[in-house]
Amino acid sequence: MKKFLAFVNKEIHHIFRDKRTLLLLFCMPIVLVILFGFAITTEIQDAKIVILDKSNDPATREIKNKILSSGYFKLKRVLTSERALEQAFQEGDTKLAIVFEENFYQHLEKHNMATVQVIADATEPNTASTLTNYISAILRDYQQTRQVTGVMPLQIQTETRMLYNPRLEGAYYFVPGVITVILLLVSAMMTSVTIAREKEFGNMEILLVSPLHPIAIILGKAIPYVSIALINALTVLYIGYAIFDMPLTGNLGLLLLECLLFISTSLSLGILISTVTDTQQTALLASMLGLMMPSVLLSGFIFPIESMPTVLQWISNIIPSKWFIIISKDIMLKGAGMATIWQETLILAGTTVLLILASVAKFKIRLE
Amino acid sequence: MNHEVAIRAEGLTRKFGAFTAVDHISFSVEKGEIFGFLGANGAGKTTAIKMLCGLLQPSGGKASVGGFDIFRQTGQLRRNIGYMSQRFSLYEDLSPYENLRFYGGIYGLPRREIKPKAEAVLKKLGLWEEKDQLVSALPLGWKQKLAFSVASFHEPAIVFLDEPTSGVDPVTRRQFWHMIYEAAHQGTTIFITTHYMEEAEYCKRVSIMVSGRIQALDTPGKLKEQYQVSSMDEVFLKLTR
Amino acid sequence: MIQVAHIVKSYESTKALQDISFDVVQGQLFGLIGPDGAGKTTLFRILTTLLLPDEGQARVGEWDIRKDYKKIRKQVGYMPGRFSLYQDLTVEENLSFFATIFGTTIRESYHLIKDIYVQIEPFKDRRAGALSGGMKQKLALCCALVHSPQVLFLDEPTTGVDPVSRKEFWDMLKNLKRAGITILVSTPFMDEASRCEQIALLQKGKVLAIDTPKGIRKSFSKPLWSVNSNTDMYQLLQDLNRYDRTASAFTFGESVHYTDRQEEGISEALRQYLAQQGHREVRIQPLEASIEDRFMELMSREDEP
């Protein structure tokens, strides 16, 4: 036990003496959550638009009212000809133009079909797609209030999927995803990199020759990072709560327990990586490409799983992050208890046991 | 024998904060000379070499290498020197031929010249059969010889060798020295550091650095005479203790 | 104390060790002498149970390297070639860390490391990364000794270290030997070989010879001559290599070590030849062979088919 403590102590020294990594470890969660929270999901308000209404009938008036009262848009001016369109965009601050065709209302009544043209300034593609999305949502809404049967094919170019916030959800919806990424980063990447460092500097040879059990080496590596990961999770939760009004409807204790479970999963992934890599560089690359990328892209953190191709949906099932995101969202936002999330928890626990068994089997008491 | 000066240093100094790594060293090396630059670990050898190669700015003093000021004419300086370090600068995942072609290319040799020249070098090294193998598959001794050929491929006036022979067998080491002699014979100036004191005897003159200063500079024979010992090893011990 | 019998070890394409056998007696200072790629590190890893040999047997003490690896690991001190300690821990922290994981304390084994430790003690609060090469080596040796091992494995402890520190290091080994520790040490420096009691010359995974340093020197097969002249070395060597009676000519410091193809009248004929080539002040003296001479002789014999 004394040997083990000496090892943990040494690890803590490593962490606290490397000021840059230390800074990274503690600041990264804060930066990430604020980045996702503010920079990327900020809703657009008072975007300047111009309108060319060739009909000016009850239908177009109603739609215009809806658009301008939504709070997203501000009318810059009303145009009278199509020639003025280009002029309006060249002024630079016009984000969007809406053009109603002639006899809009009649077309709607007679053919159930009318055309609205939405022209967006795509120099800022994200803003453009957000705005066109808002417009199409408003038009859909209008359609529903008219209770028209059948489809009303409004000819609008709309982007159905959006890059950063496809669900158009509030900032705090990102918190579970950010926690997941951070736990993975700290636990898996840091453990695999530090174990690789022991190998690179030739220290692993001495440790193997020492009476220290290999399991003790690994646990000794893991324990400091478990603590850091937990502290990070709490930091992110607090920022989400304090800055983004994120609700925590479920049990905090349960959430932390689940965090601990996911940390174990990540650690065993990190250890598995370290058994097959010999240098810090390869360990870093392997954890970045093998863990971070899928976790960011395929876990439902950024892109909704439902809108992925079937193959990717299938692959997403083997990504532990997916299950942890579901669990943490359920606890934080829906206030779910064990009764709801036991399946996901079981999947995570099972994965962890498998990974630990695999890395124990792979971990060598010798050098090859 | 002409007495052109290849390297001249006057009061060359480099400080890192409060620590003076190189402390007012002055010496000159003649064209075609093999100059041994010795010193204990941390005596400032590497810092001095980096300055002479124009990789590190001196904090004081001046020096010229091949007639170029190391401070102001780094561009011309680098075209006229070759450098080979302990961890030779060969690309392990390229073949010997590709390595030569690459270095020839970055030193601006015309493409037409590179090919016949590279072929001549490979034949001379006895590496012709292996010219398309990857460097990583070559034995250490051959890598060293190749690294030296790469460092002198653009026919620099001066070649800096930083502990080039550590870890090779005695025969290969002598073959390596044979290459050095040959280059010096053809007028290339050789500036070399080594931990093998016996190799110091192969140099025409040696300097011994102790904590940033040059403590002794002469031919091995005269140094031994001066300190009344029979080997360079003992000269070194007497000076650094 | 260490028995190695017919050890064979191959990596993918290279044969790292080919049928290596030798014995090290208790309390002996045994040297493995050879250049990089001779197989020294592989052999050390096999003896410290970090690698398994493909064939052959080896024992450290009374323990077999395959079956009793746990016992061996407790009894040996090992200093790997690349070993560079924990750079971000201080000298003292490094030492006490290694003491603790081996289940001991610095105080308990102080008698053993005292002579070495006093030299680095003034820097005990300095980070290991900031030590000079020689200091690092001393600290690494302390770390390998801190659990009072019976056998010490030192893989190229003097590589990259300046001659002064190297000399000090060998003096320390001599003291340790006095304390009864069996030491197996490897080095690419031929001149260090004479510091050992028994040496094995290794080249390309094969043992070229095993003997005392004196025995190795005596086994040089031909009369050896030291040759020099007032002309420069390059010229002398070239002329000797062109001489039809030359069996071998290698530079050694300021002279050339020379052997002749014939038995008789060597120095007279050589003197005459060199004079013809324009050499003045030619000195030709009989010489006792060094370990390096013998190593090169054995090497060239290996290379012949």
Side-chain angles (χ1 to χ4, degrees):
Chain A
M1 195 59 202
K2 212 171 136 196
K3 294 174 196 167
F4 180 66
L5 285 180
F7 196 90
V8 174
N9 189 28
K10 170 192 83 87
E11 271 328 295
I12 292 172
H13 274 308
H14 284 324
I15 295 170
F16 280 91
R17 293 217 173 134
D18 187 354
K19 294 280 182 282
R20 262 178 297 174
T21 311
L22 191 68
L23 197 72
L24 198 70
L25 278 180
F26 286 102
C27 291
M28 181 184 57
I30 300 171
V31 172
L32 267 185
V33 77
I34 290 180
L35 206 73
F36 276 109
F38 272 127
I40 294 161
T41 70
T42 301
E43 294 174 349
I44 294 154
Q45 285 178 338
D46 293 340
K48 286 189 181 158
I49 61 168
V50 292
I51 294 176
L52 172 60
D53 189 349
K54 295 177 187 164
S55 312
N56 206 6
D57 54 35
T60 63
R61 274 196 294 273
E62 198 184 339
I63 294 173
K64 279 192 279 184
N65 266 339
K66 269 183 178 293
I67 291 174
L68 294 177
S69 61
S70 67
Y72 300 132
F73 304 102
K74 196 175 175 186
L75 185 63
K76 190 179 165 194
R77 64 172 176 264
V78 175
L79 305 179
T80 47
S81 77
E82 268 162 351
R83 232 170 287 141
L85 273 174
E86 205 184 338
Q87 163 76 23
F89 277 112
Q90 273 174 357
E91 283 162 17
D93 57 349
T94 312
K95 301 281 179 217
L96 203 77
I98 299 167
V99 182
F100 293 97
E101 64 171 343
E102 279 165 40
N103 306 321
F104 188 85
Y105 186 69
Q106 280 95 319
H107 284 166
L108 214 53
E109 289 287 286
K110 274 191 205 148
H111 314 295
N112 240 347
M113 222 174 98
T115 308
V116 178
Q117 205 182 0
V118 178
I119 306 164
D121 177 359
T123 49
E124 284 171 60
N126 295 331
T127 315
S129 63
T130 310
L131 291 176
T132 46
N133 260 6
Y134 286 159
I135 296 280
S136 49
I138 291 168
L139 289 171
R140 231 177 287 130
D141 188 44
Y142 171 75
Q143 198 179 335
Q144 271 164 11
T145 55
R146 270 178 49 96
Q147 292 191 323
V148 180
T149 49
V151 201
M152 183 168 104
L154 293 155
Q155 299 293 315
I156 299 171
Q157 287 292 319
T158 52
E159 180 75 64
T160 49
R161 214 164 50 83
M162 285 181 46
L163 211 49
Y164 294 109
N165 187 2
R167 294 176 173 158
L168 295 175
E169 286 164 342
Y172 54 75
Y173 273 80
F174 277 101
V175 171
V178 171
I179 292 185
T180 312
V181 169
I182 286 166
L183 294 187
L184 198 69
L185 210 64
V186 172
S187 323
M189 199 159 95
M190 293 308 287
T191 4
S192 66
V193 168
T194 55
I195 293 180
R197 182 168 69 178
E198 300 268 355
K199 292 189 192 175
E200 218 172 287
F201 281 81
N203 294 320
M204 199 53 147
E205 287 179 48
I206 306 253
L207 294 179
L208 282 177
V209 172
S210 80
L212 206 59
H213 198 279
I215 303 288
I217 299 178
I218 284 179
L219 280 180
K221 285 264 160 204
I223 280 179
Y225 290 105
V226 171
S227 338
I228 292 181
L230 267 181
I231 293 172
N232 283 336
L234 281 171
T235 317
V236 174
L237 279 178
Y238 180 75
I239 295 177
Y241 166 78
I243 302 183
F244 300 110
D245 304 320
M246 182 196 68
L248 179 62
T249 35
N251 187 324
L252 180 66
L254 179 63
L255 183 63
L256 290 181
L257 274 181
E258 294 283 353
C259 280
L260 212 56
L261 175 62
F262 183 65
I263 290 172
S264 323
T265 322
S266 312
L267 281 174
S268 41
L269 271 169
I271 292 162
L272 196 62
I273 289 178
S274 72
T275 57
V276 291
T277 51
D278 282 331
T279 63
Q280 296 183 66
Q281 245 183 352
T282 37
L284 193 69
L285 263 178
S287 19
M288 277 310 261
L289 295 177
L291 299 180
M292 292 306 296
M293 297 294 282
S295 287
V296 170
L297 300 176
L298 297 177
S299 64
F301 172 26
I302 287 177
F303 304 113
I305 293 174
E306 309 86 62
S307 58
M308 288 177 193
T310 329
V311 184
L312 289 185
Q313 287 198 22
W314 186 81
I315 292 177
S316 77
N317 284 330
I318 59 163
I319 294 172
S321 308
K322 172 189 167 173
W323 305 108
F324 181 66
I325 288 183
I326 296 177
I327 292 173
S328 47
K329 274 191 179 169
D330 280 356
I331 297 178
M332 279 191 257
L333 307 173
K334 295 184 195 156
M338 209 47 179
T340 343
I341 53 166
W342 67 270
Q343 270 179 311
E344 286 85 0
T345 308
L346 209 63
I347 294 176
L348 268 189
T351 319
T352 312
V353 171
L354 270 181
L355 286 170
I356 289 179
L357 286 179
S359 41
V360 165
K362 282 227 105 188
F363 193 85
K364 301 146 204 159
I365 51 160
R366 296 196 165 85
L367 284 176
E368 53 161 36
Chain B
M1 269 286 185
N2 50 14
H3 289 274
E4 257 177 83
V5 171
I7 303 174
R8 184 195 301 278
E10 277 165 42
L12 197 61
T13 303
R14 173 72 205 204
K15 290 179 181 158
F16 293 104
F19 173 67
T20 309
V22 174
D23 192 3
H24 293 88
I25 58 169
S26 303
F27 62 91
S28 65
V29 181
E30 275 171 33
K31 184 175 183 291
E33 188 175 0
I34 301 177
F35 189 83
F37 197 60
L38 313 180
N41 296 108
K45 285 177 306 195
T46 310
T47 310
I49 290 193
K50 277 189 182 158
M51 285 193 284
L52 292 175
C53 292
L55 297 171
L56 198 67
Q57 288 202 347
S59 331
K62 54 182 179 180
S64 66
V65 171
F68 301 108
D69 188 291
I70 59 158
F71 192 60
R72 278 183 231 100
Q73 298 168 295
T74 42
Q76 285 128 300
L77 169 76
R78 283 186 204 155
R79 265 193 294 281
N80 281 284
I81 59 171
Y83 178 74
M84 170 184 168
S85 72
Q86 298 147 287
R87 300 174 299 259
F88 351 99
S89 32
L90 294 176
Y91 290 96
E92 297 263 318
D93 50 356
L94 296 182
S95 72
Y97 179 71
E98 287 162 336
N99 265 291
L100 286 169
R101 196 177 59 189
F102 171 72
Y103 280 98
I106 59 170
Y107 279 103
L109 297 187
R111 200 172 280 267
R112 272 172 292 115
E113 270 177 43
I114 293 179
K115 195 164 183 255
K117 208 171 161 198
E119 284 172 2
V121 167
L122 290 171
K123 277 185 185 147
K124 200 172 156 212
L125 285 176
L127 271 173
W128 185 247
E129 302 275 305
E130 289 82 5
K131 73 178 162 66
D132 296 321
Q133 258 183 16
L134 293 189
V135 165
S136 53
L138 294 178
L140 182 72
W142 282 13
K143 280 189 207 168
Q144 277 172 332
K145 288 184 227 166
L146 181 63
F148 181 73
S149 305
V150 162
S152 49
F153 191 62
H154 59 292
E155 294 172 14
I158 298 134
V159 179
F160 290 89
L161 302 170
D162 194 2
E163 285 182 45
T165 58
S166 59
V168 290
D169 67 71
V171 172
T172 311
R173 214 168 76 223
R174 283 176 176 75
Q175 290 168 350
F176 188 81
W177 269 94
H178 200 83
M179 288 181 73
I180 295 178
Y181 276 135
E182 207 172 54
H185 213 72
Q186 286 158 8
T188 311
T189 309
I190 308 283
F191 191 92
I192 183 168
T193 72
T194 176
H195 277 326
Y196 292 87
M197 278 309 117
E198 168 227 312
E199 285 189 348
E201 315 241 12
Y202 301 161
C203 302
K204 193 164 169 220
R205 286 188 307 149
V206 295
S207 74
I208 299 178
M209 257 183 111
V210 181
S211 28
R213 293 210 178 100
I214 291 185
Q215 290 290 13
L217 197 168
D218 215 323
T219 62
K222 289 212 179 109
L223 284 176
K224 282 184 281 185
E225 221 168 89
Q226 187 187 339
Y227 291 92
Q228 296 176 328
V229 290
S230 62
S231 72
M232 277 308 293
D233 211 19
E234 289 164 273
V235 173
F236 193 87
L237 288 180
K238 276 205 165 174
L239 268 170
T240 50
R241 270 265 164 82
Chain C
M1 195 67 191
I2 304 172
Q3 289 169 294
V4 179
H6 308 293
I7 291 283
V8 174
K9 175 81 191 173
S10 300
Y11 296 115
E12 281 158 30
S13 56
T14 49
K15 286 182 178 162
L17 296 174
Q18 308 175 40
D19 196 24
I20 302 277
S21 306
F22 62 85
D23 290 323
V24 181
V25 185
Q26 162 123 40
Q28 201 171 44
L29 177 55
F30 192 98
L32 292 171
I33 319 294
D36 288 6
K40 298 180 302 245
T41 301
T42 308
L43 190 55
F44 272 110
R45 288 183 173 166
I46 287 174
L47 289 175
T48 50
T49 74
L50 288 168
L51 285 181
L52 286 174
D54 300 337
E55 287 166 44
Q57 302 296 321
R59 302 178 83 81
V60 175
E62 57 202 89
W63 300 294
D64 182 87
I65 50 149
R66 288 194 182 82
K67 284 193 302 244
D68 311 316
Y69 72 93
K70 280 192 176 153
K71 292 196 180 98
I72 293 180
R73 289 180 181 190
K74 281 201 182 89
Q75 292 303 326
V76 304
Y78 176 36
M79 189 171 145
R82 291 180 304 165
F83 183 45
S84 47
L85 306 149
Y86 292 106
Q87 309 280 318
D88 49 354
L89 297 188
T90 66
V91 168
E92 202 178 16
E93 282 165 349
N94 263 297
L95 193 56
S96 70
F97 169 70
F98 284 106
T100 319
I101 63 165
F102 277 98
T104 177
T105 58
I106 299 180
R107 190 171 300 166
E108 249 175 84
S109 46
Y110 195 72
H111 64 281
L112 200 59
I113 57 171
K114 188 181 152 220
D115 291 341
I116 311 163
Y117 191 60
V118 288
Q119 300 177 46
I120 46 174
E121 208 163 11
F123 313 103
K124 68 182 162 86
D125 293 322
R126 195 183 283 187
R127 304 248 168 112
L131 292 177
S132 72
M135 290 288 182
K136 259 185 211 166
Q137 235 58 6
K138 282 171 199 160
L139 175 58
L141 183 61
C142 283
C143 291
L145 277 171
V146 78
H147 59 294
S148 317
Q150 296 177 11
V151 186
L152 199 53
F153 291 102
L154 308 171
D155 190 8
E156 294 205 14
T158 54
T159 294
V161 177
D162 65 70
V164 180
S165 309
R166 248 157 59 198
K167 191 172 179 308
E168 287 173 356
F169 198 86
W170 280 97
D171 290 340
M172 288 186 279
L173 293 192
K174 209 186 230 173
N175 287 336
L176 289 176
K177 201 194 100 63
R178 260 184 230 128
I181 300 176
T182 310
I183 304 172
L184 185 66
V185 59
S186 73
T187 176
F189 295 97
M190 301 285 151
D191 54 338
E192 290 181 345
S194 54
R195 300 286 214 130
C196 306
E197 291 170 278
Q198 186 89 6
I199 53 176
L201 302 183
L202 249 62
Q203 164 81 351
K204 292 181 187 160
K206 286 186 198 150
V207 174
L208 297 178
I210 300 175
D211 207 333
T212 59
K214 202 175 169 194
I216 297 271
R217 285 198 295 267
K218 288 267 181 265
S219 58
F220 195 81
S221 65
K222 284 181 168 161
L224 186 68
W225 302 84
S226 144
V227 182
N228 47 29
S229 75
N230 66 338
T231 12
D232 75 347
M233 189 65 104
Y234 181 66
Q235 196 57 47
L236 179 63
L237 195 63
Q238 292 230 312
D239 289 337
L240 283 172
N241 281 331
R242 272 199 297 269
Y243 182 41
D244 56 3
R245 282 181 63 170
T246 303
S248 71
F250 292 112
T251 49
F252 264 84
E254 52 186 342
S255 57
V256 175
H257 288 193
Y258 169 86
T259 57
D260 202 279
R261 288 180 194 278
Q262 295 174 23
E263 315 263 307
E264 305 279 319
I266 296 170
S267 66
E268 297 75 27
L270 181 60
R271 198 181 299 276
Q272 211 177 350
Y273 166 76
L274 286 176
Q276 272 169 19
Q277 301 300 316
H279 292 270
R280 297 289 169 262
E281 293 172 46
V282 175
R283 282 183 304 271
I284 302 175
Q285 287 159 327
L287 183 79
E288 198 180 324
S290 69
I291 289 165
E292 192 159 350
D293 286 307
R294 177 63 179 152
F295 192 94
M296 290 197 285
E297 188 183 36
L298 288 166
M299 260 184 81
S300 50
R301 217 170 271 178
E302 279 289 316
D303 289 340
E304 281 162 21

